[in-house]
Amino acid sequence: MNKSYYLETYGCQMNVADSELIEGMLSQEGYTPIREMSKADAIFVNTCAIREHAEGKVHSRLGLFNKVKRDNPGVIIGVLGCMAQNLKDELLVNKPYVDIILGPDAYRKLPDYLRRNEKKNHIVDTKLSRFEVYDDLFPSRKQGINAWVSIMRGCDKFCTFCIVPFTRGRERSRGIDSIIAEVSQAVSDGFVEITLLGQNVNSYQYDSVGFPKLLEAVAAVEGVHRIRYTSPHPQDVTEELLDVMASHESICNSIHFPLQSGSDRILKRMNRTYTKEHFNHQVDMMREKIPHIGISTDIIVGFPGETETDFQDTLDVASQVQFDSAFTFKYSARPYTKAVEYEDQISEEEKQDRLERLILLQREHTLEKNKKTIGSIQSVLIEKESKKSTSQWAGRTDSNKWVIFPKENAAIKETVPVQILNTSGISLQGKIVHNH
Ligand code: 5AD
Ligand code: SF4
């Protein structure tokens, strides 16, 4: 009999990619996706544990799923991903309506567990693996532009604020042949952009193949127009990697380069393994080798022990680098991590105040950076209709900036030359250039 499922995904792109793997398995098992959760035979939520706020959202969704289950007691509720790993005991005690709890290395067993759940026992599998990379499973992708391709899983860096090494386990890389096979499959399915994914994407190492070699191999696949990757660690951004980026037209001129803090003292406490001087030096090298490279970052404010002087150092580095964009976070204490034990935690008011100051500064930088593109002609991949107007397209530049422009005769998935005319802040406005 055909069964249906409803799936919600929270968190990073890795979770989006994992959900596509899960959907592939569910489809093999005879389950079809459905939009109305009240009619589904199974409800799944793929969860994130990176900050407390992310968990809060999932808890409130679970409350809703519980209500659905009261009307439809046969529905199976599954909690998947990082939070399953982190909160299994709490869930078992306080949320008995959750039937299946699977950590990020246990998805392969989902079909089997769904069959077994017919006996209505709780199923919990949060065992982490040193080997699982799901390399023989094909994800079910929605017809689109960009295909996420996971190339490694887990993280061994142990930044002291981060729960990922505990929820996703040890670092392991997927074989190059299966990666290239998946990229080729995605291209023949019509995808034009490939984004290589990993918690620490540039730590990729399989036999003698490191990340730069892998990038070259992906660039050699016929039909791949654009290649992106996320997220790298500054420690592993090498000259060789930048040279490979610079020498391939299809590898986008953009990098996510997480600073976290601009204070050497705090970086050390975070176990980030670089100094602000080294970080600045790497930015200089990037801009020298790849002019007009777009650089985005992640910054945490209010890490334990962060003084006003430390925070000023972060503002200074941000001003020096002038990031194109930044994801900014208030430090959130996470279980298992080293930093949760530090006694000099920062007050919520202080964190909020620093976050607001950082956001204001970054807004200026983003605007300045975007203004500098006015007048230039950018190569833009058309991805979707603009949210604000049905007569306009939205697409991204090579350097990862969104541009809104009149549709004219162009179509989704085409790459067109667009002259930038204006910017209102985060996105750019332009018009297609003809006879370019
Ligand atoms: N508190 C706040 N931000 C965090 N991040 C990771 N862990 C925490 C935490 N405990 C941020 C980092 C990372 C991004 C994905 O999330 O900036 O790069
Ligand atoms: Fe977390 Fe650091 Fe690993 Fe990134 S590198 S996943 S921030 S521990």
Side-chain angles (χ1 to χ4, degrees):
M1 198 188 67
N2 217 345
K3 295 193 167 186
S4 62
Y5 71 91
Y6 171 88
L7 168 69
E8 276 181 14
T9 303
Y10 294 89
C12 62
Q13 285 98 339
M14 198 73 184
N15 265 15
V16 174
D18 279 358
S19 283
E20 290 178 348
L21 273 181
I22 291 161
E23 297 204 58
M25 282 186 273
L26 287 170
S27 135
Q28 292 243 307
E29 192 59 19
Y31 278 78
T32 48
I34 186 170
R35 276 167 181 269
E36 285 161 278
M37 72 168 91
S38 60
K39 292 192 180 145
D41 295 300
I43 298 178
F44 299 108
V45 55
N46 195 358
T47 60
C48 170
I50 195 99
R51 284 169 292 275
E52 208 177 338
H53 179 70
E55 288 190 356
K57 243 193 285 179
V58 168
H59 279 298
S60 79
R61 293 306 285 165
L62 284 172
L64 180 68
F65 300 161
N66 186 25
K67 281 196 198 123
V68 171
K69 192 163 182 160
R70 266 183 236 142
D71 295 332
N72 178 13
V75 67
I76 294 172
I77 296 184
V79 175
L80 315 174
C82 288
M83 210 172 142
Q85 201 72 24
N86 180 28
L87 282 186
K88 58 177 187 281
D89 300 329
E90 199 265 0
L91 284 174
L92 282 174
V93 175
N94 298 328
K95 305 208 162 61
Y97 54 86
V98 174
D99 302 285
I100 296 180
I101 300 176
L102 296 186
D105 287 344
Y107 301 143
R108 195 183 278 282
K109 299 197 198 120
L110 181 60
D112 181 39
Y113 288 150
L114 279 172
R115 276 174 248 141
R116 273 207 256 159
N117 185 264
E118 278 151 19
K119 291 192 213 108
K120 282 287 151 216
N121 294 325
H122 288 287
I123 286 167
V124 181
D125 189 341
T126 55
K127 212 165 152 266
L128 290 170
S129 159
R130 296 183 83 81
F131 310 104
E132 181 63 273
V133 285
Y134 301 112
D135 56 349
D136 54 333
L137 297 179
F138 271 102
S140 153
R141 297 197 168 93
K142 312 272 174 312
Q143 196 49 40
I145 310 289
N146 174 68
W148 308 109
V149 176
S150 133
I151 64 159
M152 54 85 65
R153 300 178 72 87
C155 179
D156 287 350
K157 295 275 196 287
F158 289 94
C159 301
T160 58
F161 51 80
C162 186
I163 198 173
V164 166
F166 305 95
T167 59
R168 285 187 168 268
R170 297 291 58 75
E171 202 167 285
R172 66 219 103 116
S173 294
R174 175 178 174 187
I176 184 164
D177 292 346
S178 89
I179 295 172
I180 297 301
E182 188 174 327
V183 168
S184 308
Q185 178 70 47
V187 170
S188 50
D189 289 345
F191 291 86
V192 287
E193 182 179 86
I194 300 292
T195 303
L196 303 178
L197 284 183
Q199 240 70 47
N200 236 310
V201 78
N202 52 342
S203 308
Y204 178 86
Q205 188 71 45
Y206 192 85
D207 294 336
S208 60
V209 182
F211 187 62
K213 291 269 172 315
L214 175 70
L215 263 186
E216 282 191 313
V218 173
V221 175
E222 187 127 357
V224 180
H225 293 319
R226 278 189 168 181
I227 303 166
R228 299 183 187 277
Y229 62 88
T230 198
S231 281
H233 189 292
Q235 182 187 313
D236 303 317
V237 171
T238 58
E239 224 172 319
E240 185 193 0
L241 169 60
L242 297 175
D243 286 336
V244 168
M245 289 174 72
S247 58
H248 291 81
E249 187 68 21
S250 59
I251 305 177
C252 286
N253 291 343
S254 96
I255 189 166
H256 186 63
F257 200 54
L259 171 65
Q260 312 298 4
S261 167
S263 151
D264 285 343
R265 200 177 66 83
I266 295 295
L267 284 169
K268 196 155 190 215
R269 266 193 139 199
M270 288 176 160
N271 191 28
R272 284 297 286 182
T273 66
Y274 52 84
T275 59
K276 68 175 170 193
E277 192 190 334
H278 182 66
F279 188 92
N280 280 329
H281 168 76
Q282 282 184 305
V283 168
D284 291 343
M285 184 164 73
M286 282 172 200
R287 290 192 168 136
E288 194 180 300
K289 287 184 185 288
I290 310 169
H292 307 300
I293 187 171
I295 307 178
S296 59
T297 197
D298 289 342
I299 299 174
I300 297 176
V301 300
F303 184 80
E306 184 188 73
T307 62
E308 178 59 27
T309 315
D310 293 318
F311 176 62
Q312 282 298 335
D313 284 346
T314 298
L315 297 180
D316 286 349
V317 175
S319 294
Q320 199 167 336
V321 172
Q322 302 265 317
F323 295 107
D324 292 82
S325 65
F327 297 96
T328 51
F329 309 105
K330 284 186 273 187
Y331 167 74
S332 168
R334 305 311 293 132
Y336 316 118
T337 61
K338 191 144 186 215
V340 75
E341 292 163 19
Y342 294 163
E343 280 168 9
D344 38 9
Q345 303 283 329
I346 307 297
S347 74
E348 180 56 31
E349 293 71 37
E350 194 66 56
K351 284 191 227 177
Q352 186 62 33
D353 177 64
R354 289 179 189 168
L355 182 72
E356 285 169 18
R357 285 153 68 199
L358 177 61
I359 289 174
L360 277 179
L361 183 70
Q362 183 52 47
R363 218 173 267 162
E364 285 174 26
H365 295 164
T366 300
L367 184 63
E368 274 314 304
K369 281 277 185 184
N370 285 347
K371 275 188 184 160
K372 288 203 174 114
T373 66
I374 293 177
S376 69
I377 293 172
Q378 304 275 335
S379 151
V380 176
L381 172 60
I382 304 179
E383 299 192 29
K384 56 189 179 192
E385 196 168 80
S386 154
K387 276 188 205 128
K388 287 194 191 127
S389 156
T390 54
S391 64
Q392 301 208 302
W393 289 131
R396 275 181 299 163
T397 65
D398 202 337
S399 61
N400 211 17
K401 293 177 192 291
W402 281 98
V403 191
I404 313 294
F405 51 98
K407 285 183 176 173
E408 304 196 30
N409 289 323
I412 284 186
K413 246 191 237 187
E414 270 176 41
T415 302
V416 287
V418 176
Q419 179 163 39
I420 307 304
L421 302 174
N422 207 349
T423 174
S424 51
I426 292 174
S427 64
L428 309 173
Q429 289 99 45
K431 67 165 198 295
I432 297 178
V433 182
H434 297 284
N435 307 320
H436 179 61

